[in-house]
């Protein structure tokens, strides 16, 4: 990845030097933004946090690239910039944001010369509110960290990677943790552990932000019970690693992905309609739906058969074929940046 992107970078070095990435005022990167920012380091694009003390330096750059359009500090900086090319990345459903963040995002996106999104359905949603140029570039993962493993787990290991919150399907995870038979291993990897002390068949870890230690390639199957998503990176990482996924249909993107790689690798469970257009802080399942969806997960898990090594390789190659790599993503970003200077 580094070699390929460095070659791309050298070809366009002078143009990239006129660009800066404007990060959150508090300097924190979340989730998918963190991984995409890592890719940009290889493109020689400077990162600057949205602080008033950086305004003069920010104002010296010809093109400003933004990820967190809902950040108040970024909005203030953007409002002060004059005659700049602004390129925004947007990875969220507008309905997922509260009113203040949604309004800030729309304001910043409307000032952007081009908006980059990871899926067609998000492009369609944004076009209802914004008439700017919107381009779809798929999220991609680093093949150095996400490749199929030779390991075979006995018993079968199901894994989850992500935050423990209701919007991420915490109620379902709790049911599975407490009720899945002990003949299966569950590994939950998260930065905020809410579960009881682990046992031999119930493993808790926090490796996902250390890319070379990421647990996903060691799973037999990923479970992903989220209630609202756009183009979840953890699902792409899992499939690239040759690890099938059992997921809720938390995003139209997952249907698109399933059509590309095959239903045998990505099982989808329907979510109730009342979750649509619900802000993140309100996302929650009622007791009946929690039980119903959790039982569907358990049924898929009981019927699951781990892939053989050749089958894992086939799945990984499908993901490469459909351009879900960091290399494809970074080169596409660079091409767009240069085209819209």
């Amino acid at each position: 990845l580094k070699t390929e992107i460095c070659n791309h970078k050298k070809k366009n070095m002078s143009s990239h030097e006129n660009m800066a990435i404007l990060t959150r005022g508090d300097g924190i990167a979340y989730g998918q933004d963190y991984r995409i920012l890592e890719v940009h380091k290889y493109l020689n694009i400077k990162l600057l946090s949205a602080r008033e003390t950086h305004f003069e330096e920010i104002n010296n750059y010809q093109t400003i690239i933004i990820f967190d359009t809902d950040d108040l500090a970024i909005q203030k900086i953007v409002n002060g910039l004059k005659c700049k090319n602004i390129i925004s990345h947007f990875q969220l459903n507008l309905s997922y944001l509260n009113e203040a963040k949604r309004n800030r995002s729309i304001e910043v996106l409307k000032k952007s010369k081009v908006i980059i999104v990871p899926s067609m359905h998000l492009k369609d949603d944004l076009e209802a509110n914004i008439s700017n140029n919107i381009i779809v570039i798929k999220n991609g993962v680093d093949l150095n960290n996400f490749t199929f493993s030779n390991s075979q787990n006995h018993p079968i290991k199901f894994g989850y990677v992500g935050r423990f919150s209701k919007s991420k399907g915490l109620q379902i995870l709790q049911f599975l943790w407490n009720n899945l038979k002990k003949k299966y291993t569950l590994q939950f990897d998260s930065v905020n552990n809410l579960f009881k002390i682990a046992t031999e068949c119930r493993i808790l870890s926090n490796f996902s932000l250390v890319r070379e230690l990421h647990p996903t390639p060691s799973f037999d199957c990923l479970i992903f019970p989220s209630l609202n998503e756009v183009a979840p990176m953890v699902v792409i990482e899992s499939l690239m690693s040759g690890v099938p996924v059992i997921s809720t249909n938390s995003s139209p993107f997952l249907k698109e992905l399933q059509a590309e790689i095959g239903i045998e690798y990505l099982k989808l469970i329907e979510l109730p309609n009342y979750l649509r257009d619900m802000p993140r802080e309100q996302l929650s399942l009622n007791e009946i739906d929690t039980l119903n969806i959790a039982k569907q997960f358990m049924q898929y898990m009981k019927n699951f058969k781990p892939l053989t090594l050749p089958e894992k390789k086939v799945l990984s190659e499908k993901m490469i074929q459909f351009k879900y790599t960091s290399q494809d993503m970074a080169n596409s970003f660079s091409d767009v940046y240069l085209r819209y200077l």
Side-chain angles (χ1 to χ4, degrees):
L1 171 66
K2 292 182 182 179
T3 302
E4 184 73 22
I5 295 177
C6 281
N7 291 337
H8 202 87
K9 177 179 72 176
K10 289 175 183 176
K11 185 174 71 174
N12 302 299
M13 179 71 78
S14 60
S15 296
H16 286 160
E17 287 179 347
N18 291 323
M19 301 177 183
I21 294 172
L22 191 57
T23 62
R24 296 172 58 87
D26 55 18
I28 298 172
Y30 292 100
Q32 295 178 174
D33 287 353
Y34 172 84
R35 296 160 196 180
I36 295 174
L37 284 169
E38 285 291 308
V39 170
H40 280 78
K41 288 181 181 179
Y42 303 124
L43 294 176
N44 201 40
I45 302 176
K46 187 175 180 67
L47 271 65
L48 291 169
S49 62
R51 299 175 184 168
E52 291 183 11
T53 52
H54 290 162
F55 182 80
E56 292 303 321
E57 184 178 2
I58 293 167
N59 211 25
N60 287 330
Y61 286 90
Q62 179 183 352
T63 300
I64 303 299
I65 300 166
I66 294 171
F67 289 87
D68 297 283
T69 57
D70 61 325
D71 183 61
L72 179 60
I74 286 178
Q75 182 196 35
K76 289 179 178 179
I77 293 289
V78 168
N79 286 341
L81 296 174
K82 294 180 180 179
C83 303
K84 295 292 178 186
N85 293 321
I86 296 175
I87 298 175
S88 291
H89 291 255
F90 194 67
Q91 299 260 344
L92 295 172
N93 293 315
L94 283 172
S95 61
Y96 195 61
L97 303 170
N98 63 37
E99 184 177 1
K101 289 185 175 183
R102 183 165 59 249
N103 290 338
R104 282 200 292 270
S105 285
I106 291 173
E107 181 179 341
V108 172
L109 291 172
K110 284 184 175 179
K111 292 181 179 180
S112 302
K113 193 168 186 179
V114 63
I115 302 163
I116 297 173
V117 298
S119 67
M120 277 303 302
H121 85 274
L122 185 54
K123 179 179 187 290
D124 293 340
D125 288 348
L126 286 182
E127 285 177 340
N129 296 281
I130 297 163
S131 59
N132 303 46
N133 237 318
I134 304 174
I135 294 175
V136 177
I137 296 177
K138 291 179 176 180
N139 282 336
V141 300
D142 189 344
L143 297 179
N144 291 323
N145 294 323
F146 297 97
T147 187
F148 54 91
S149 167
N150 295 327
S151 64
Q152 296 267 323
N153 294 304
H154 302 288
I156 295 172
K157 183 193 286 188
F158 295 97
Y160 167 79
V161 177
R163 298 192 316 276
F164 290 137
S165 65
K166 286 188 175 181
S167 67
K168 292 295 183 181
L170 175 60
Q171 296 155 288
I172 297 167
L173 292 171
Q174 288 172 323
F175 184 93
L176 295 176
W177 185 268
N178 294 324
N179 294 281
L180 189 69
K181 290 184 178 180
K182 299 297 188 282
K183 68 177 184 178
Y184 302 105
T185 298
L186 275 180
Q187 180 173 347
F188 288 176
D189 191 278
S190 181
V191 295
N192 60 328
N193 175 28
L194 299 178
F195 287 78
K196 295 178 180 178
I197 297 173
T199 64
E200 186 176 351
C201 60
R202 295 290 184 269
I203 302 170
L204 298 169
S205 59
N206 180 17
F207 298 138
S208 60
L209 292 182
V210 183
R211 313 313 295 155
E212 61 272 17
L213 297 178
H214 204 286
T216 299
S218 71
F219 299 157
D220 291 304
C221 179
L222 178 81
I223 53 174
F224 191 67
S226 183
L227 306 186
N228 190 309
E229 295 289 335
V230 173
M233 192 74 86
V234 65
V235 171
I236 299 170
E237 291 167 344
S238 181
L239 296 169
M240 186 65 79
S241 303
V243 176
V245 178
I246 303 170
S247 173
T248 52
N249 66 333
S250 52
S251 166
F253 164 78
L254 294 172
K255 282 278 190 183
E256 299 168 18
L257 182 56
Q258 187 186 56
E260 288 178 326
I261 64 163
I263 193 172
E264 65 270 30
Y265 301 119
L266 177 55
K267 304 294 186 184
L268 296 178
I269 296 169
E270 292 292 318
L271 287 170
N273 290 333
Y274 62 78
L275 295 175
R276 293 177 184 173
D277 301 325
M278 190 179 286
R280 173 171 49 189
E281 60 270 18
Q282 297 177 21
L283 280 170
S284 180
L285 291 167
N286 63 41
E287 189 173 338
I288 293 173
D289 286 324
T290 298
L291 183 60
N292 177 44
I293 293 170
K295 285 183 175 180
Q296 290 182 66
F297 268 95
M298 288 183 66
Q299 191 60 48
Y300 274 127
M301 293 163 81
K302 289 175 182 177
N303 294 335
F304 176 77
K305 294 181 179 179
L307 298 187
T308 64
L309 183 58
E311 288 170 333
K312 288 183 179 183
K313 185 177 180 181
V314 168
L315 174 54
S316 183
E317 287 175 347
K318 277 178 175 279
M319 293 296 289
I320 295 171
Q321 173 192 343
F322 286 107
K323 299 187 181 301
Y324 286 102
T325 70
S326 291
Q327 174 183 315
D328 290 308
M329 180 174 67
N331 290 344
S332 296
F333 286 162
S334 180
D335 289 341
V336 169
Y337 298 161
L338 298 175
R339 194 191 326 160
Y340 285 91
L341 281 176

